[in-house]
Each structure stands twice: as C-alpha cells, then as structure tokens.
Amino acid sequence: MRSPVLVGRGQETSALRAAVTRAEHGRGGAVFLVGEPGIGKSRLAAEIAGHASQRGFRVLRGRASRAVPLRALCEAVLSAFRKVVPDEEQLGAYLPVLLRMTPDAPAGVPDPAVVRAEAVLRLVTAEKTVLVLEDLHEADGETLAVVDYLLDNLADEPVLLVATLRPHPDGAQRLADEATARRVATTLRLTGLTDDEVAELARRCLGEPVPDDVVAKLVEVSDGVPFVVEELINGDLAAVPPTVAAATLQRVDALGPECVAVLEAAAIFGRTFPLDVVTAVAGRSEELLQDAERAQLVEGHQFRHALTADAITGRMTPTARATLARRAARAAEALRPGELELAAELWEAGGETAKAVACLAKAGRHAAALGRFGTAVELLERGQGLTSDPDLTADLLDALAAVLPLAAVVVPADDGARAFALGERLQQALTAAHAAPERRAAVRLAQARVAAVAGRWERGLDLLAAAKESSPSADVVKATLLLGLNQLDLLPKARALAERAAATGTPEIVCEALEVLTRCTRGQDLAEARQHIQRWLHTAEQHGLAAWRLRALLELGITDKYLTIGVDTLLAARQAALDTGAIVILIAADLHLGGIYLVRGEYEEAARYGASAGEAARKLGLHALGALAVAIEAGIASMHGDRRETDKALARLREHGGSEEIWSYSSAVCAVMEERYDRALAEFDEVEKAVTEPRILRGTFYQGPRLLVRVAHGLAGRPEYERLAESHLSQVRLHRAYFAWSHAILLGREGRLAEAGQAAAEALDLSTGLGLPRYLGLRLAGQKALADGWGEPLRWLSEAEEYSHHGNAVAAATTPCPPRCARPASRSASTRS
C-alpha cells in the first residue's frame, strides 16, 4: 500500500511550488533534494512535477547511472522527443548534437562538452519546462558538467531543474553545495518524518486510524523514513517484521516463482532495468511484471525504490548473483551492443574481469569518438583499476594513449595540464609493468600530440625526441609542432615530414598531414594549397571521416575567400556544419563570412554573421572566436569613419584579449575614412610592428591599403610596389585591387598616362563588388589622376562620394540582432540562415 497523498514535507512543497511560479514568470532556477535512501526525494520530485504539469509545464525526466554515461540527460532528451520532436527553428544546429547523445549514436563529429551542454540548455528552454534528474549521485563527470552549465544559465528562463541525490561527499554533492553558495540553486535537505507524520502516513496507507502500539512500533523501526513505513505496512503489519528487507521479500515471494525469477533478473541491474534484457535472462514474459506493479514493487522499468532491488539481491548467494550477472552480460551484449558500460559492469559483477576490461576499453574508445573525452578517460582508468594482467593493462594503456591528445581539449584553459598529468601516470604504469620501449614511445607520441593541441611547441618536440619514434603519426605531429614555431626556415622541414606522412599514413593521418601541407603552402601558393585541401576532402569523404570532411570544407572556403572574395564555398561549409551540428565550425564559418561581407562592403550581412558568431562564442566560452566577432563590429564602424563606435568596439576587443594588429588596422581604416591620412599611416605602421610572424597571409589584409596610401602620398615608389606585387600577396584578389590602383598612380606620376589608364581599368575590374578597396582607390587615384591628367577622375571621385554617403546611411541603419541558434537571417535561402 502507498499513501495517496504526500505526508509531511509542507515547507519543502511550498518552496518547490514557489520555484515553479518563478519559472513560470521567466525566473528559472534549480533545487537539489538531498536525503538518505527512502526519505522521499523521488516522491517529492514527482509531486512537484505533477503540479507543474497541471500548470502547463513540459516535464522531462532522467535517472543517472554509473554504468551508462550521460544516461540521465539522454533519457530527458528522449522524453522530449517522444512528445514533440523539436524543430530546427527551435534548436538549429544543436538538434544533431542532441541526437548524438543517445547510447547507440554513431561516431563521427565529436562534440566539445560545452557544446553538448548548450544543446541541452536550448532544448529545455524551448518552452516552460521542469527537468527532473534523479539519483544524481550516480552521475558521471560529463553529466555533472552539463548540469553545472545549466545552473548558470537558467536565471532568465522558464525552467526549473529538480535533482535528487544522496548526501555523499562526491561530485554531485560538491556541485550542489557550490551552486547553492553562488546562489544559482537551492538545496532542500530531507529528514525523517515526525512521530505524528508517521501516524498520518500509516493512516493514509490503510485508509483508517492505526492503533497506538502499531504506530509506536513503526516509529521505532522506521526512524521516520517514509519508504520503510510503507514497506512495513505492506508486509505483515500485525507482526511488524524486524527488517524492511523481510517485509519486502514477503511481498516478492507472494507473487510466485516465475515472477520472482523476473524480479531477480531485474534486481541484478539495480533500481532501473532494461525490460528486453531482463525477460531474456529470466526466460519469462514481461507481463509477469504487471503482478509486481500491482504489488507496488515496480513502476514501469524500475523498482519503486532502490532498497527493493537491494533486498532481492541481498538474499541471493554470491555464486547465484555472479551466475545471473554473467547471463545478463551476455544478453546485454546481444540486445544492447551500444551500452558497453552496462555490459562491463555486469561482467565485473559476474567475476569475468577480462571481459569487463575489454568492454571498458572498447567503451572508452567509442566515448572518445563521440567527443566524450572525460568519460573516455574515466572508463579506461576504471578498467586499469580492475586488472593487473599485463596484456589487459597494455590494451587499456594503448587506448588511453589514443585518447590522451583528445582529452587535452576537455579543459582547454589548463594548456593541456590534465592530459600531460595523465601521460605521466601512464609512463609510471608502463615503467612499473616493465613495458616494451615501443609502448612507452607511443605514450610519448600521445603527449607530443597534447603539446600540439595546447600550443606547447618546444615541449612537444622534446617529447618526440625522447620517444625516438619513426612513423607517419610521428611525422605529422612533428610537422605540426615545427609549423607552430612560426619560423620560415622550418617550413621546408615541416612540409617534407607532412608529405611523407600523407604518402604512407592511415586515412586519418593523411587528412592531418594534408592539413599541415595546406598551412605550409597557403602563404606561398594558394592554388597548391587548394589542391591539398581537395585531396584532403576526397580522402575524408571516401573513408567516412565526418569531422575531417567538415574541416576540409571550411579550409576550402577560407582559401576561396583569399582567391575570389566569394562566399559560395564558405556557405556550403556552413550548411554542412549546420546539418551535422558542428557548432565550432559553424561559428568559424560565420566569422569568415562576416569578414568577407565586410570586405565586400555588405555591412548588414557582415553584422548579422558577426553577431550570430559572437553570441554563440560568448555562450560557449570560446573567447578567441568571440574576439573575432568583436573585430567585425570594429571593422564595420571603421569602414564608415565612425571614430566613436570604432573606439568603443576596440575597447571591448581589448577586454577579449584581441591583438594589437586588429586594433591598429581598424583604427587605421577609420582614419582613412576620416581622410586623416597621417594618422592612418601611423596606425598602419603599428600593424607592421605588431606582425612578428612570417609573412604569410594575414587576416587583416593591411599591406594593400597601406601601400596605396603610401604611394598616393609620395612615400612609396616603384621598388616597394614591385616587392609586394611580386610576392605571394598578389594571389589575393583584395590585394591585387590595391596593387592595381597603386600601379596606376605610379604610372601617372611617371607620365605614362595611357598605361595609367589601363592600370586603372584593371583596378576598377578587380575592385568591382568590393567596399574599401574600391572607395579608397577611386578617392586617391581620382585625386592623382585629376592632378596628372589621366583616366576619368571626375567620374571616379563622384562614385567615391556616393559610396561614402551610402555607407554612412547603411551604418546608421545597421544594428546587429543576433538570433538564438547561430542562424543569421540572409537574403538567400541557400544559407539556411
């Protein structure tokens, strides 16, 4: 019997209902219900969920499990999808991210933890929602990371998160304590019922008053725990069994041997159990569970309380438990091949350590492929704790070494410190196991990859030297590290290593090597770089390497940006990122699109894409990308000569850690538009000082306008023009336009008037569809042509004046309005904006 109403908990219920009311008015939050088993956490959570549902809230539920990472969140996501599948308008590119959270999701595009957290946030905030997460003390680290992200982002949303957990000094309890301390959550600690409340609970269960002596016994035995009271009443109340387990088992045995067999198979899994696996293990129909449900032992696919499962398994002999666990493991592997962690836990319970470790190794690799790097490390280290067998340990170490570089991006702010520490632990384990030198070299190589991810170039090269490894993988890592040093004399060596890796490596290594070759050659030969990218793209598509394909598409778009100032290739890359939920690549594509539209003088489009990227980067904590979004704002203001807005944006850019180069370039362009050319040249000179890296292609494109202003003011002559016009920069259409205008002015100054006119015609053609290159060329060349008697200066100056007025009008009308889902509005449906 179970009480039809919640007894006691008046203050807690009032607090939770008040939280629902606040969420209804857009002031969301979270409540942690903390208490011992049986104290009534789940009943209270269910009560408030029912209350919220009556008020029109959507209720999403999930229960954490140590055996299945992200289980609570996956169940919540699936419960949302079962009701109404959220459309793209609600979730945008985050919809594929949510779909990848299911246990049987295919590997492909890895999701950084923060992206996964934002996807869940967008799902729960799509409408007013109560999210109930039970048994949070069982949750893995990545689940807790998502919950922590939610806590910090619910204040202005119609969402209430209710989580239940036991008061153990673990990650969940620490999370609750820290969230309560920073006032983004409330903690309600449930204690036992009073004597009067125990009497009231008994009366509610039985529907009649309970004798005083029975109440006294209930109070004595139950210690005020509601579940214990109900179990005692459901047992032999007259005798009042001495333990709750006895009362529970009396009800179990009353159901008959076939039903008992099903319940024993279910209890092996703990409180929540997979019906299909349970019925396969027991060899019985799941209809038998209906009898258990009528006896109030189970509800759907879970026991009404965890203590019920404990009571059932507690009376089984160790041999019987192990035998049943092995049968369950075999059934789980056959019926749920994607739930490797579950199978591992069952094999471990069945005494089959080797099989458990094999499952954990496989599960760790699969988690890494899905981008769950923290989970991967946890699973593999759990396997290490299970065995001392040299072969099994070696397999786990190999898997950990493969995950090691990926784990470096779990906490990017630590410069790979966590992954480096893991690598040192691996080295110690290998030394203790007297491992072969090649295994130790593999870990050193993995640590060198971490160094490449973290930008620790010298440390990575030292690790490679210690590894003394010779392989395509080592070649490509060394090439990446050498390239990172930004020394021109090292480029040939990096290129040779990458070429060797591309010729002999696996498809993944080939893609990685071709990425390095792209970076090596882009500064000298854009056409060759494009060939490398096309081969990279073909390799990725041929072998189904989704993540590498997306990166290749983005790089192809960037290369075409330099060559043509066109957007089609980047829009295709953006569409692919949108379709697959590759959020970071989507943000990068939007930033490049914003930059192209800025160069083309299409400022409304530039503002939309920049604002979209900036909002997404801010939410995800991607500060470097956020700084580039602010740089687009500064660029728009500077292109209109708006000194006040330019300086405001540049001040924000410095807060983001933006570079001196971008600051000086934007300020210089603003000075050009103000026709304060002395200041512009001084600012351009600051850019020249700020660029300390090799003269590869620069994102700010400062060399072209700087040359044109210097030539127009007699500060640069033919030698400086020829040096730049014959350099790699001549491949870039934007620079070619500036160089052509500069050449026209130089020819006019030399008295070669017809040739000056021809050079101006080329400049007009190259600057068609561009913003600043056309305006600045028309303005400066027009003045010089008028003085020197060549070309069509009056027409050019008139067009420049018209552009200036039109641009200022656009500036006044342009206000970036970032949408929620990184989907800037566009004139063309092909952008999927």
Side-chain angles (χ1 to χ4, degrees), residues 59-338:
V59 177
L60 306 181
R61 293 182 174 87
R63 185 180 301 278
S65 167
R66 190 174 74 92
V68 183
L70 293 174
R71 175 174 180 164
L73 297 170
C74 291
E75 287 184 353
V77 168
L78 291 173
S79 68
F81 285 7
R82 276 194 296 271
K83 294 173 183 176
V84 179
V85 177
D87 59 26
E88 285 190 89
E89 197 63 34
Q90 289 176 301
L91 297 173
Y94 289 90
L95 180 56
V97 178
L98 291 169
L99 295 174
R100 282 196 291 273
M101 287 180 60
T102 55
D104 57 349
V109 181
D111 297 310
V114 69
V115 169
R116 190 179 303 119
E118 176 65 15
V120 175
L121 177 65
R122 292 185 180 230
L123 175 68
V124 299
T125 57
E127 57 184 277
K128 61 180 187 179
T129 300
V130 168
L131 173 62
V132 180
L133 300 178
E134 295 207 56
D135 294 342
L136 206 60
H137 53 277
E138 292 280 350
D140 58 289
E142 297 209 33
T143 295
L144 296 179
V146 173
V147 172
D148 194 35
Y149 185 88
L150 296 178
L151 295 174
D152 287 331
N153 288 280
L154 294 181
D156 300 319
E157 302 289 351
V159 176
L160 174 64
L161 188 157
V162 178
T164 69
L165 62 146
R166 297 177 187 175
H168 297 165
D170 57 9
Q173 183 65 69
R174 286 196 301 272
L175 173 66
D177 292 343
E178 291 169 3
T180 301
R182 65 179 189 265
R183 299 184 180 181
V184 295
T186 301
T187 296
L188 299 179
R189 300 184 183 277
L190 306 188
T191 57
L193 301 177
T194 65
D195 294 356
D196 289 342
E197 288 169 342
V198 169
E200 175 66 10
L201 177 59
R203 186 184 71 80
R204 291 287 187 175
C205 287
L206 294 170
E208 58 184 34
V210 182
D212 290 345
D213 59 332
V214 175
V215 170
K217 192 65 176 178
L218 288 172
V219 169
E220 178 187 349
V221 174
S222 71
D223 199 27
V225 176
F227 175 75
V228 177
V229 174
E230 291 182 346
E231 287 300 294
L232 292 173
I233 292 173
N234 285 321
D236 185 354
L237 184 58
V240 187
T243 65
V244 177
T248 300
L249 293 174
Q250 284 181 2
R251 293 160 58 210
V252 170
D253 291 338
L255 296 174
E258 289 192 336
C259 190
V260 170
V262 175
L263 290 175
E264 286 178 344
I268 287 294
F269 293 89
R271 182 175 183 184
T272 303
F273 49 84
L275 283 174
D276 54 341
V277 180
V278 166
T279 54
V281 172
R284 304 288 193 278
S285 169
E286 66 180 61
E287 293 178 359
L288 288 168
L289 287 174
Q290 294 176 3
D291 295 336
E293 195 157 359
R294 282 190 289 270
Q296 296 187 13
L297 290 166
V298 300
E299 294 175 341
H301 63 288
Q302 65 184 31
F303 287 97
R304 195 166 69 82
H305 198 278
L307 294 178
T308 305
D310 293 343
I312 293 171
T313 57
R315 73 173 177 182
M316 298 169 64
T317 66
T319 301
R321 282 198 302 271
T323 300
L324 197 55
R326 288 193 294 271
R327 286 165 54 193
R330 283 190 288 270
E333 285 187 331
L335 296 172
R336 300 195 171 202

Side-chain angles (χ1 to χ4, degrees), residues 602-625:
E602 299 177 42
Y603 302 118
E604 291 183 8
E605 293 291 284
R608 288 193 185 98
Y609 280 101
S612 173
E615 182 204 24
R618 178 186 60 78
K619 288 295 296 289
L620 300 178
L622 303 173
H623 303 299
L625 296 180

Side-chain angles (χ1 to χ4, degrees), residues 641-662:
D642 190 333
R643 175 59 61 182
R644 180 182 175 189
E645 290 302 315
T646 299
D647 288 347
K648 282 172 60 178
L650 291 176
R652 288 179 53 219
L653 183 63
R654 281 197 167 156
E655 292 174 2
H656 280 70
S659 71
E660 189 67 32
E661 178 186 344
I662 295 176

